[in-house]
Amino acid sequence: GTVLIFPVFLKYTAVCVSKMEPDLSGFNIDAPRWDQFTFLGRVKHFFNVTDPRTVLVPERELDWAKMMVEKSRMGVVPPGTQMEQLLYAKKLYDSAFHPDTGEKMNVIGRMSFQVPGGMIITGFMLQFYRTMPAIIFWQWVNQSFNALVNYTNRNAASPTSGRQMALSYVTATTTAVTTAVSMNMLTKKAPPLVARWVPFAAVAAANCVNIPMMRQQELIQGISVKDKNHNEIGHSRRAAVIGITQVVISRITMAAPGMILLPVVMERLEKLRFMQKVKVLHAPLQVMLCGCFLIFMVPVACGLFPQICELPVSYLEQELQDTIKAKYGELVPSVYFNKGL
């Protein structure tokens, strides 16, 4: 009887140990959990990374996440570590640390802060659109926020000087305020709903200036492009143009549904008798509704294009094509670069 029981006991023990100690030796923490070549996969990824709850995570927990990611990359995960812990650590790491430098990003500039920060600013922009001081103030606040987000999520391989940042900030803010003020004056005799759409027009116009200006160094000197093994093989201005254009489209898409549809909703709600009695609640309501839009639109907009872009060598500048072909021949058909967010 003992001879039969002992193998069974060993098998049972092995099963228990395997459940307690998962084999993480072949686990690649940098491999995406969802297919980044599909739109749905990217949206799932950014729902995870832009989770606004990660903004509330204490510094020591973020430092723990970075340590766990680095240890996992080296293949020296602490004994007893569960897969769920590594996935959670990667989520925190992706939400708070820059993909190029590995440095902790400022809280306000993180994409995970887009929902709380964006909902407050957008809500107030949409609510206070009638008076000139309010228009100027909230457009200035919005562009200050955007400038910080753009700088935080840039491709960090292309450094930006303090002078360039200041020039970018002033230019974008001036564009937004000028657009908003000009359109507000032009739409004074237009239907009320048209005036409510002025903030979106100003935001869209400013995004077309703010992002390229904040990342002008990439347009001047080119963005770092790499092969599939992450080896840098040059800098490309054409890649920078493509990456920055995609970011501009994403940011405008992020703001569009809330800033276009919400004015229609509020225009109808404010005509209701009970809404006219509680005017003090109009601004908080707009902020809350903006948050509802942004919870979905931040990951959707970020997922429109892959963060790591693939570009055929034939699309690059001729001189860079020649350099790559001379050094690698036909071994490098495409290059890859981080377009930023």
Side-chain angles (χ1 to χ4, degrees):
T2 307
V3 176
L4 292 172
I5 291 170
F6 189 64
V8 174
F9 172 75
L10 284 178
K11 185 178 179 182
Y12 175 75
T13 305
V15 169
C16 289
V17 170
S18 67
K19 285 184 177 178
M20 292 175 63
E21 295 280 350
D23 180 19
L24 300 173
S25 57
F27 176 66
N28 179 6
I29 199 163
D30 291 312
R33 291 174 64 184
W34 298 278
D35 184 0
Q36 294 301 286
F37 291 103
T38 67
F39 172 65
L40 186 58
R42 293 193 295 271
V43 170
K44 288 179 180 178
H45 168 73
F46 283 111
F47 255 115
N48 192 45
V49 172
T50 64
D51 184 345
R53 293 174 298 178
T54 60
V55 173
L56 303 174
V57 172
E59 294 289 308
R60 64 180 181 277
E61 198 168 336
L62 294 178
D63 294 334
W64 164 84
K66 184 177 184 180
M67 179 199 71
M68 292 296 286
V69 169
E70 290 174 346
K71 284 185 177 294
S72 180
R73 285 170 176 168
M74 293 185 288
V76 288
V77 178
T81 301
Q82 301 294 314
M83 180 74 75
E84 290 76 13
Q85 288 177 296
L86 288 181
L87 294 176
Y88 178 64
K90 188 62 163 63
K91 171 179 178 169
L92 293 184
Y93 180 84
D94 286 344
S95 73
F97 294 87
H98 198 283
D100 291 335
T101 64
E103 294 178 2
K104 193 181 294 178
M105 298 183 286
N106 68 79
V107 176
I108 296 174
R110 296 175 196 167
M111 273 297 157
S112 51
F113 193 79
Q114 275 291 311
V115 172
M119 65 187 276
I120 293 169
I121 295 171
T122 307
F124 282 117
M125 271 198 300
L126 293 176
Q127 179 63 29
F128 303 111
Y129 65 94
R130 293 180 179 89
T131 66
M132 206 62 75
I135 290 169
I136 293 170
F137 175 76
W138 285 109
Q139 287 293 336
W140 168 73
V141 169
N142 186 50
Q143 288 314 311
S144 300
F145 177 61
N146 284 347
L148 185 57
V149 172
N150 294 338
Y151 175 74
T152 304
N153 293 280
R154 73 201 184 285
N155 180 306
S158 302
T160 305
S161 69
R163 183 175 174 277
Q164 288 172 324
M165 286 170 55
L167 179 63
S168 305
Y169 171 70
V170 171
T171 307
T173 306
T174 304
T175 302
V177 171
T178 303
T179 304
V181 170
S182 302
M183 292 193 70
N184 187 263
M185 292 173 71
L186 290 170
T187 57
K188 278 192 173 179
K189 294 182 180 179
L193 186 58
V194 175
R196 286 179 178 268
W197 281 328
V198 167
F200 173 67
V203 166
N207 268 323
C208 294
V209 174
N210 195 329
I211 298 168
M213 286 293 292
M214 187 59 71
R215 296 175 59 179
Q216 62 181 290
Q217 199 62 25
E218 297 170 38
L219 297 170
I220 296 167
Q221 296 185 350
I223 199 170
S224 173
V225 294
K226 302 177 181 181
D227 62 16
K228 63 181 178 181
N229 297 317
H230 311 293
N231 301 309
E232 186 177 305
I233 54 178
H235 286 75
S236 169
R237 290 183 295 277
R238 286 189 182 178
V241 170
I242 291 170
I244 291 171
T245 301
Q246 290 180 354
V247 171
V248 170
I249 294 169
S250 294
R251 293 291 185 80
I252 293 174
T253 302
M254 192 184 295
M259 297 191 81
I260 292 174
L261 297 178
L262 196 49
V264 178
V265 173
M266 291 304 296
E267 182 73 13
R268 299 200 173 181
L269 284 178
E270 288 177 6
K271 290 177 180 176
L272 300 177
R273 187 176 297 174
F274 83 93
M275 284 291 287
Q276 290 174 358
K277 292 179 181 178
V278 289
K279 289 187 177 181
V280 70
L281 296 179
H282 290 192
L285 178 62
Q286 291 224 67
V287 168
M288 187 179 68
L289 290 173
C290 281
C292 294
F293 277 104
L294 286 174
I295 283 174
F296 294 98
M297 287 313 301
V298 169
V300 166
C302 288
L304 283 178
F305 307 101
Q307 183 167 1
I308 303 300
C309 294
E310 180 180 357
L311 193 64
V313 169
S314 58
Y315 277 57
L316 302 173
E317 297 90 326
Q318 189 60 51
E319 61 213 63
L320 184 54
Q321 287 186 45
D322 295 340
T323 303
I324 293 171
K325 286 176 182 176
K327 193 171 182 180
Y328 303 98
E330 300 298 323
L331 295 175
V332 181
S334 299
V335 295
Y336 303 84
F337 61 94
N338 171 22
K339 71 171 176 60
L341 285 176

